[in-house]
């Protein structure tokens, strides 16, 4: 017996979650299956729309205004600017993110000390914006090699930020191992667990604030690496603000990224509330198609093939990073439905000679029609009832443009909405 | 007796560093200049094989004898650089039986311990060997870390009073009345350049004698001195796998050929190689077919290589030399022996000798011979001790005990640190500060990074070769910025940022030859982490000024209207 749904979404990253949410909110019976860990744990948790044009112009102040100037085959051009706005409204509705009060991008300091343009940021990053002219103290943790606060501060100054910024490194109170994972810090702060400082035990939040107060001058805001709690991040930040007497913010970090994981959790919660069913940890390994439509996909679970049937399907398996696009020495492919992926025959034409050059691999992905249905090499629709969303799409370089989250949200929204409309 | 003669050694590869150590131990005054990092030329681009001599046991028995002799020496003096993996010469059904027997006889004639093992025995040693491998000859091949070995030689030379200048390019050989009297050297410097030894400007280094140990670059120095040195540079590719498919050196038992060796090296296995003459030791094509050939041909010996993950490929240039009258047309026919060219005898130019040809395994022997030659110029009768006195790091291996408790390191990281540092582990790791891991792939801690920075300056590529940081699976994707952070403090932000860029570009260069499958996925992830999260591709600090007031200044600020900063102290933070 096959597991039935009206819409089946393959992939549990930002695009898959958004499309499942969009379809469920349209009233469809939705099921989402995902295999690998979502790449959100690698992502900063910032939600970018468009920071630079395809020609590298930027940072862009108004991403919506710049979208019509993108190349014709860019996913934003496929779905249209107004649809991007609708999609962002859905995102704003289900998360506690900031930045929706303006169309303008924000410039957010990140852990290496650069600033990057982004459209939405977690509440915990709000006090850190680079266009805010209050002075900043960055606090690094001695054993946390991903964030060197004095270097980040000097780097921000080199970028010409309109405030004074200073970096200090402190030792985290208590006796966490030198190689403790970021989640260990976060959990200790969540629980306000007892730590011993010079013979006295006290709550971790108090002890941390006290250490900061010994290096804090007259700065009006204090930034920490993004380890300020996992489940109770608002409470942790609030407690530090009370005890330090300034605004406190988190600087987004590399993997494993707590803001990315928090976002993933918020979206899964919203999806569950919407009534969709979710199955994680098992791969789609095969499918049946008939008359140009996908009939059944097979999920491998404990060695057995479990058939899943739906009327409409969404492919949101990610790009090269998420393994939704794979390659070998001779070719590039989409492994689930074997959709066409255009690429040069010679793999030496897949990359540029400079680390940050114009890399063709960054744009690998499926091409689609205007309703996001993948196209075969001859331009025909691959399957009538399959739509693609997020990084599995080709035609844009999300890293250079800073457009990854926005494209995932916008195309996920369109794919989910259209699928739900089709089954009505 | 007056002050000792001053010898200028050109070239910071294994030969130059070995000569500098030898001469300084004999009491001579030595200055070594190198245009890049130590190992910048051929030494840093070899497969890491410590020859048993087995490879030359049929074709070049003189070289084979030298190899086994030096193999034994290096096991004693460079314990922390050598891993005695053992080696096999394996025979497939299509390989010639007569050659197999000849190899065995050759090894025995040259004093190389060699035993025949059956195919089953060979597979018991190395389970991933092909099922149809018939038999093999086992020999004492090993793996050697060329970076660590050269750095240890340089450190020993410094201990004996030598001056080592890296990033210092020879611009001219100074000659007076048919005698070389010194060098004109340009030291790299300036914003964004590497900081090291002497910084910036040109320097005239007067010397009583000059040794040209520049290998494939020897002809360039020769040109400056007006003498012809016809080195025949020959390139070879090496492809690095992300894990060790084998723990023993695997050689194909057949006459010369491309793609016939797999060397287990640290966490990786290195496939090699090709042999193709090139015009210029720096400018030559690096081609797809060479990488494909390594994988396809060596899959005949170790089938799992066909679908395994490679992390990068690199090319090295052999400094081959033969007397011009021999006239070999195929570089594989050129001897691997070394030649000492005394330009006084050869070209009527006093005061300079070049050393060309030779192999990494015999670097110490070459150093000894040329040091003897230099000493004889000055009538100095000093004995060579480089074969008996261990290199720094290899003096006392009792430190391998109890390192985990002692240094508070978790077990695999502690083991790897101590393997790299050898007897220096105590001195480097004994810190009261937290010692987090900076490079997770290779298990390199902050203390080791800081030790390398102290030894090599702000060049993160020099830190890399000393520690292996950024040389694992992720190829620096996760740790380049951390290494830059480790530099900052000692060096200012712009120097740290320039070094960060330099390391990223260097890591990218070799990865380009491994961009498919898992490693393309890794490269896409690295690109995303560096460009998306860190915006390093369009870093405003490197570009035009940004109009901050045009961007979102926060809730309460009217984003886009130029009123940034309206969110005043404790300003609205709705929702908290």
């Amino acid at each position: 017996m096959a597991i039935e749904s009206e819409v089946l979404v393959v992939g549990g990253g930002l695009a898959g979650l958004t499309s499942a949410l969009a379809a469920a909110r349209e009233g469809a019976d939705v099921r989402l299956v995902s295999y690998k860990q979502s790449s959100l744990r690698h992502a900063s948790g910032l939600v970018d729309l468009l920071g630079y044009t395809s020609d590298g112009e930027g940072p862009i102040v108004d991403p919506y205004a710049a979208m019509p100037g993108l190349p014709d085959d860019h996913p934003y051009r496929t779905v249209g600017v107004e649809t991007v706005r609708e999609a962002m409204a859905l995102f704003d509705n289900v998360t506690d993110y900031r930045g929706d009060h303006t169309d303008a991008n924000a410039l957010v300091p990140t852990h290496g000390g650069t600033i990057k343009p982004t459209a939405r940021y977690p509440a915990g990053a709000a006090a850190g914006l680079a266009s805010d002219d209050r002075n900043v103290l960055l606090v690094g943790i001695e054993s946390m090699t991903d964030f060197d606060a004095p270097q980040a501060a000097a780097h921000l100054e080199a970028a010409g930020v309109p405030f004074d910024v200073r970096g200090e490194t402190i030792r985290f109170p208590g006796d966490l191992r030198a190689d403790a994972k970021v989640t260990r810090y976060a959990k200790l702060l969540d629980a306000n667990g007892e730590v011993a400082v010079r013979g006295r035990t006290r709550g971790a939040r108090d002890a941390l604030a006290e250490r900061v107060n010994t290096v804090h001058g007259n700065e009006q805001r204090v930034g920490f690496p993004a380890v300020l709690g996992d489940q109770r991040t608002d409470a942790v930040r609030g407690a530090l603000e009370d005890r330090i007497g300034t605004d406190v913010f988190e600087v987004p970090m590399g993997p494993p990224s707590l803001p990315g994981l928090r976002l993933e959790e918020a979206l899964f919660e919203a999806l569950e509330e919407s009534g969709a069913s979710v199955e994680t940890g098992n791969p789609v390994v095969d499918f049946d198609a008939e008359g140009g439509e996908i009939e059944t996909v097979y999920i491998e679970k404990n060695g057995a093939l479990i058939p899943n049937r739906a009327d409409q399907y969404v492919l949101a398996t990610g790009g090269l990073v998420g393994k939704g696009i794979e390659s070998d020495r001779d070719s590039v492919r989409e492994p689930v439905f074997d959709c066409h992926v255009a690429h040069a025959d010679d793999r030496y034409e897949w990359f540029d000679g400079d680390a940050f050059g114009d890399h063709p691999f960054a744009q690998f992905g499926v091409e689609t029609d205007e309703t996001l249905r993948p196209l075969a090499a001859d331009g025909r629709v691959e399957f009538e009832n399959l739509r693609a969303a997020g990084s599995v799409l080709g035609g844009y370089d999300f890293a250079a443009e800073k457009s990854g989250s926005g494209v995932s949200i916008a195309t996920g929204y369109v794919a989910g909405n259209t699928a739900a409309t089709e089954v009505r | 007796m007056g002050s000792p003669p001053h010898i200028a050694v050109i070239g910071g590869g294994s030969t130059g560093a070995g000569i500098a150590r030898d001469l300084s131990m004999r009491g001579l005054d030595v200055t070594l200049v190198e245009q890049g990092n130590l190992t910048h030329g051929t030494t840093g681009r070899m497969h890491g094989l410590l020859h048993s001599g087995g490879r030359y046991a049929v074709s070049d028995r003189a070289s084979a004898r030298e190899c086994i002799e030096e193999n034994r020496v290096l096991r004693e003096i460079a314990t922390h650089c050598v891993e005695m993996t053992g080696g096999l010469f394996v025979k497939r059904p299509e390989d010639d039986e007569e050659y197999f027997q000849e190899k065995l006889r050759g090894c025995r004639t040259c004093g190389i311990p060699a035993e025949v093992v059956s195919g089953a025995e060979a597979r018991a040693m190395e389970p991933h060997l092909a099922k149809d491998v018939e038999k093999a000859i086992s020999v004492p091949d090993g793996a050697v870390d060329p970076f660590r070995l050269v750095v240890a030689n340089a450190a020993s030379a410094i201990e004996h009073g030598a001056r080592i200048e890296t990033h210092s390019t020879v611009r001219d050989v100074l000659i007076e009345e048919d005698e070389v009297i010194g060098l004109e050297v340009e030291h790299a410097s300036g914003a964004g350049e590497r900081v090291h030894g002497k910084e910036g400007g040109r320097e005239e280094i007067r010397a009583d004698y000059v040794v040209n140990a520049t290998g494939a670059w020897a002809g360039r120095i020769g040109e400056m001195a007006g003498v012809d040195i016809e080195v025949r540079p020959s390139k070879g590719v090496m492809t690095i796998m992300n894990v060790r498919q084998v723990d023993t050196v695997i050689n194909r038992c057949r006459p010369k050929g491309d793609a016939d060796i797999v060397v287990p090296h640290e966490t990786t296995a290195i496939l090699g190689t090709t042999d193709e003459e090139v015009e210029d030791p720096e400018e030559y094509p690096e081609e797809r077919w060479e990488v494909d050939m390594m994988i396809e041909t060596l899959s005949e010996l170790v089938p799992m290589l066909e679908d395994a993950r490679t992390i990068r490929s690199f090319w090295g240039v052999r400094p081959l030399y033969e007397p011009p009258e021999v006239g070999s047309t195929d570089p594989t026919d050129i001897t691997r022996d070394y030649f000492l060219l005394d330009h006084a005898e050869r070209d009527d130019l006093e005061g300079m000798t070049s050393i060309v040809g030779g192999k990494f395994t015999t670097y110490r022997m070459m150093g000894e011979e040329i040091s003897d030659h230099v000493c004889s110029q000055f009538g100095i009768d000093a004995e060579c001790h480089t074969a008996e006195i261990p290199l720094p790091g290899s003096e006392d291996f009792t430190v391998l005990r109890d390192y985990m408790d002692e240094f508070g390191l978790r077990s695999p990281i502690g083991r790897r640190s101590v393997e790299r540092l050898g007897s220096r582990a105590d001195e480097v790791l004994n810190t009261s500060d937290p010692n987090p891991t900076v490079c997770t792939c290779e298990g390199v801690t902050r203390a080791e990074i800081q030790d390398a920075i102290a030894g090599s300056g702000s060049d993160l590529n020099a830190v890399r070769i000393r520690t292996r940081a950024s040389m694992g699976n992720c190829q620096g994707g996760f740790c380049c910025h951390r290494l830059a952070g480790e530099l900052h403090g000692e060096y200012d932000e712009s120097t740290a940022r320039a070094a960060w860029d330099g390391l990223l570009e260097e890591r990218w260069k070799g990865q380009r030859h491994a961009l498919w499958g898992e490693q393309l996925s890794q490269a896409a992830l690295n690109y995303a982490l560096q460009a998306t999260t860190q915006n390093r591709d369009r870093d405003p600090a490197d570009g035009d000024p940004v109009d901050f007031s045009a961007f979102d200044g926060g809730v309460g600020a009217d984003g886009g209207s130029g009123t940034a900063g309206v969110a005043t102290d404790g300003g609205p933070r709705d929702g908290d």
Side-chain angles (χ1 to χ4, degrees):
Chain A
M1 265 285 285
I3 301 174
E4 306 266 354
S5 61
E6 288 175 327
V7 176
L8 181 73
V9 177
V10 185
L14 193 50
L17 288 163
T18 305
S19 59
L21 258 173
R25 288 191 159 209
E26 283 295 308
D29 168 27
V30 180
R31 179 170 158 74
L32 179 144
V33 294
S34 81
Y35 173 36
K36 297 199 161 110
Q37 277 184 322
S38 138
S39 50
L40 277 168
R41 71 195 311 276
H42 284 135
S44 62
L46 299 174
V47 173
D48 309 337
L49 266 180
L50 188 67
Y52 294 85
T53 68
S54 308
D55 302 325
E57 295 296 315
I60 291 168
V61 175
D62 183 342
Y64 298 105
M67 285 175 193
L70 292 168
D72 291 346
D73 57 350
H74 194 289
Y76 282 142
R77 295 292 307 281
T78 308
V79 303
V81 178
E82 283 316 305
T83 312
V84 179
R85 286 185 185 276
E86 287 172 29
M88 291 307 288
L90 170 64
F91 176 83
D92 291 330
N93 189 264
V94 298
T95 64
D96 180 28
Y97 266 53
R98 304 298 155 86
D100 57 340
H101 62 285
T102 172
D103 279 356
N105 272 325
L107 297 174
V108 180
T110 78
H111 63 120
T114 41
I115 45 175
K116 67 164 276 186
T118 194
R120 298 287 189 277
Y121 39 92
L129 301 191
S131 297
D132 177 340
D133 61 9
R134 293 176 298 161
N135 293 344
V136 169
L137 172 67
L138 294 177
V139 176
I141 308 294
E142 192 177 16
S143 54
M144 207 171 277
T145 55
D146 259 323
F147 180 59
D148 184 295
Q151 183 204 16
H155 196 165
L156 286 171
E157 284 195 329
V161 293
F163 49 83
D164 287 341
V165 52
R166 197 164 59 86
E168 291 278 359
T169 303
I170 62 167
R171 196 168 287 190
F172 198 85
D175 57 356
L176 287 181
R177 241 185 24 231
D179 280 330
K181 293 192 164 59
V182 290
T183 45
R184 291 274 300 143
Y185 293 89
K187 291 208 164 90
L188 187 59
L189 289 167
D190 265 351
N192 198 21
E194 301 253 295
V195 294
V197 182
R198 273 182 255 111
R200 289 202 302 150
T201 60
R202 47 193 328 186
R205 298 174 190 173
D206 288 334
L208 177 60
E210 210 160 272
R211 291 245 160 118
V212 173
N213 284 333
T214 64
V215 295
H216 179 218
N218 58 4
E219 292 88 357
Q220 294 132 310
R221 39 188 184 145
V222 176
F224 290 87
V227 297
L228 302 184
D230 181 9
Q231 304 291 327
R232 310 176 63 187
T233 178
D234 289 345
V236 172
R237 199 170 64 257
L240 291 172
E241 288 180 335
D242 276 352
R243 289 163 181 73
I244 299 171
T246 65
D247 277 1
V248 161
F249 63 93
E250 286 187 317
V251 177
M253 303 268 284
S257 158
L258 281 168
L261 291 167
R262 292 175 197 142
L263 174 59
E264 182 177 15
E265 195 170 313
L267 292 171
F268 267 109
E269 268 171 29
L271 186 58
E272 267 162 41
E273 277 168 26
S274 76
S277 80
V278 174
E279 180 181 329
T280 59
N282 301 306
V284 172
V285 291
D286 201 3
F287 70 100
D288 294 331
E290 178 72 42
E293 295 211 349
I294 294 167
E295 293 209 312
T296 310
V297 301
Y298 296 91
I299 292 170
E300 190 177 273
K301 191 171 181 179
N302 303 327
L305 292 187
I306 313 293
N308 280 244
R309 293 175 75 99
D311 301 320
Q312 297 289 324
Y313 295 84
V314 176
L315 175 69
T317 43
L320 283 170
V321 178
K323 313 278 170 72
I325 301 292
E326 291 183 348
S327 62
D328 56 28
R329 278 190 281 149
D330 304 310
S331 65
V332 182
R333 59 194 204 98
E334 182 279 299
V336 177
F337 297 111
D338 203 20
C339 293
H340 170 68
V341 179
H343 61 87
D345 287 340
D346 183 351
R347 66 172 190 265
Y348 280 68
E349 291 172 24
W350 297 353
F351 57 83
D352 186 85
D354 296 330
F356 293 130
D358 201 357
H359 296 305
F361 75 72
Q363 307 216 14
F364 282 169
V366 300
E367 289 168 53
T368 70
D369 69 358
E370 65 282 4
T371 67
L372 297 179
R373 288 179 302 182
L375 298 176
D378 60 7
R380 284 182 302 124
V381 168
E382 293 261 19
F383 304 100
E384 295 294 331
N385 60 345
L386 175 69
R387 287 172 182 77
S391 301
V392 75
L393 297 170
Y396 72 114
D397 179 340
F398 75 82
E401 296 170 5
K402 327 301 164 192
S403 64
S405 303
V407 168
S408 288
I409 291 169
T411 56
Y413 174 80
V414 170
N417 249 343
T418 317
T421 308
E422 290 286 326
V423 298
R424 282 288 163 262
Chain B
M1 186 180 155
S3 57
H6 178 214
I7 315 300
V9 179
I10 316 171
S14 55
T15 312
I19 294 167
R21 178 184 194 225
D22 197 332
L23 287 173
S24 59
M25 282 172 72
R26 299 194 207 197
L28 280 74
D29 189 14
V30 176
T31 299
L32 181 148
V33 293
E34 159 60 48
Q35 61 175 346
N37 282 320
L38 292 174
T39 75
H40 169 82
T42 303
T43 301
R45 317 194 128 260
M46 49 97 69
H47 44 42
L49 173 66
L50 179 66
H51 280 279
S52 63
R55 281 181 84 78
Y56 306 117
V58 175
S59 59
D60 187 352
R61 290 195 173 159
S63 290
R65 286 195 179 87
E66 288 169 7
C67 282
I68 186 63
E69 189 180 326
E70 287 301 299
N71 172 302
R72 292 188 169 112
V73 169
L74 289 182
R75 280 189 246 168
E76 291 300 316
I77 66 157
T79 44
H80 77 297
C81 307
V82 170
E83 180 189 352
M84 277 316 292
T85 59
L88 293 172
F89 281 85
V90 302
K91 178 185 178 308
R92 289 185 46 81
E94 65 270 30
D95 297 336
D96 180 32
E97 171 66 23
E98 180 49 36
Y99 185 78
F100 186 89
Q101 296 303 334
E102 217 181 319
K103 178 73 84 183
L104 186 62
R105 281 194 300 274
C107 284
R108 289 179 173 157
T109 307
C110 297
I112 302 163
E115 296 298 331
V116 176
V117 297
S118 69
E121 286 167 327
R123 276 183 293 278
M125 293 165 70
E126 287 300 338
H128 298 302
L129 270 185
K131 301 252 177 303
D132 52 356
V133 162
E134 290 178 346
K135 56 183 176 179
I137 302 170
S138 82
V139 294
D141 283 340
V144 57
D145 188 306
F147 304 116
R148 214 175 293 157
L149 186 73
V150 171
V151 168
N153 270 282
S156 172
I158 290 168
E159 278 174 17
H160 289 92
R163 173 182 169 203
I164 308 280
E165 288 284 347
T166 57
H167 300 291
S168 300
T169 307
V170 173
R171 293 296 176 202
D172 201 7
V173 175
L174 306 175
I175 298 172
E176 270 175 19
E177 291 170 17
D178 294 331
E179 183 175 353
V180 174
I181 54 140
L183 305 171
E184 186 172 320
V185 169
E186 185 171 352
H187 300 286
S189 74
E193 279 289 344
R194 290 119 182 174
V195 180
H196 54 87
K198 182 169 167 61
E199 193 187 343
R202 289 205 173 207
E203 184 190 6
E204 216 177 84
I205 298 177
R206 306 283 288 196
D208 300 305
Y209 203 82
V210 171
V211 178
N212 173 18
T214 54
W217 284 258
R220 288 197 189 171
I221 300 294
E223 226 169 275
M224 293 177 198
V227 297
D228 261 351
I229 306 168
E230 288 162 347
V231 180
R232 310 255 308 254
S234 158
K235 71 165 177 172
V237 66
M238 280 142 283
T239 294
I240 312 185
M241 313 309 292
N242 78 319
V243 294
R244 285 165 70 127
Q245 281 82 11
V246 294
D247 289 318
T248 309
V249 176
I250 305 297
N251 304 270
R252 181 86 177 252
C253 190
R254 64 178 180 195
K256 67 185 182 187
D258 288 336
D260 64 353
I261 186 164
V262 185
V263 182
H265 186 80
E266 298 279 328
T267 52
T268 70
I270 301 181
L271 318 185
T273 183
T274 45
D275 197 346
E276 198 175 299
E277 200 160 343
V278 294
E279 287 290 320
D280 185 313
E282 283 170 13
E283 295 289 328
Y284 49 83
E286 300 176 347
E287 288 167 282
R288 168 185 175 148
W289 68 265
E290 299 175 273
V291 176
D292 287 342
M293 180 209 266
M294 289 309 112
I295 294 167
E296 280 155 20
T297 308
L298 284 162
S299 297
E300 295 170 12
L301 301 186
V302 184
M304 74 184 300
L305 291 174
E306 178 70 35
D307 297 314
R309 173 175 176 181
T310 95
I311 54 178
R312 58 197 285 124
S313 287
F314 62 96
W315 278 255
V317 174
R318 301 174 189 83
L320 299 183
Y321 180 87
E322 64 178 18
E325 60 273 19
V326 179
S328 302
T329 50
D330 184 342
T332 59
D333 292 331
I334 301 176
T335 176
R336 266 46 179 169
D337 208 350
Y338 59 89
F339 295 85
L340 193 155
L341 310 179
D342 184 333
H343 297 293
E345 290 167 18
R346 189 172 172 269
D347 309 294
D348 294 324
L349 177 68
E350 297 286 335
M352 180 163 104
T353 286
S354 297
I355 183 150
V356 288
K359 291 170 304 300
F360 178 86
T361 298
T362 57
Y363 86 95
R364 193 212 59 82
M365 185 181 269
M366 290 157 68
E368 177 174 350
E369 188 170 331
I370 201 149
S371 296
D372 286 346
H373 179 73
V374 170
C375 286
S376 73
Q377 308 296 309
F378 299 95
I380 295 172
D381 184 19
E383 261 187 69
C384 174
H385 292 294
T386 55
E388 304 102 56
I389 299 178
L391 287 160
S394 290
E395 290 112 340
D396 174 7
F397 244 55
T398 56
V399 292
L400 280 166
R401 289 198 314 264
D402 303 330
Y403 53 82
M404 279 190 288
D405 292 344
E406 209 170 315
F407 305 124
L409 294 167
R410 297 163 72 201
S411 107
I413 292 168
R415 180 175 53 74
R416 304 222 34 225
S417 292
V418 174
E419 279 170 2
R420 283 190 295 263
L421 292 163
S423 55
R424 294 190 59 243
D426 187 40
E427 158 198 347
V428 175
L429 300 176
N430 202 351
T431 162
S432 56
D433 295 325
N435 189 20
T437 306
V438 176
C439 164
T440 327
C441 297
E442 293 292 310
V444 187
T445 63
R446 172 178 285 159
E448 221 180 315
I449 300 289
Q450 289 297 341
D451 173 65
I453 291 171
S456 63
S458 68
D459 182 348
L460 287 177
N461 280 308
V463 173
R464 169 178 66 78
I465 64 170
R466 282 166 162 80
T467 60
R468 289 189 62 78
S470 79
M471 291 172 80
N473 267 355
C474 87
Q475 292 288 293
F478 285 66
C479 67
C480 282
H481 67 283
R482 298 177 187 162
L483 291 165
E486 294 298 320
L487 271 185
H488 185 253
E490 186 70 29
Y491 295 95
D492 63 19
E493 192 275 330
S494 65
T495 305
R497 178 147 40 96
W500 179 359
D501 287 341
L503 182 59
L504 276 178
E505 289 297 340
E506 192 285 335
R507 293 286 78 191
W508 180 246
K509 194 169 181 289
Q511 268 178 90
R512 296 178 304 174
H513 301 288
L515 291 185
W516 69 85
E518 286 283 336
Q519 203 61 24
L520 181 59
S521 175
Q522 178 76 54
L525 173 60
N526 291 354
Y527 179 49
L529 293 176
Q530 289 151 3
T532 311
T533 306
Q534 305 203 40
N535 199 16
R536 280 295 288 143
D537 58 330
R538 314 225 188 279
D539 191 339
D542 298 329
D544 297 332
V546 173
D547 177 13
F548 286 89
S549 65
F551 291 84
D552 176 10
V555 178
D558 184 11
S561 74
T563 51
V566 168
T568 49
D569 297 10
R573 300 184 46 80
D574 58 327
D576 276 355

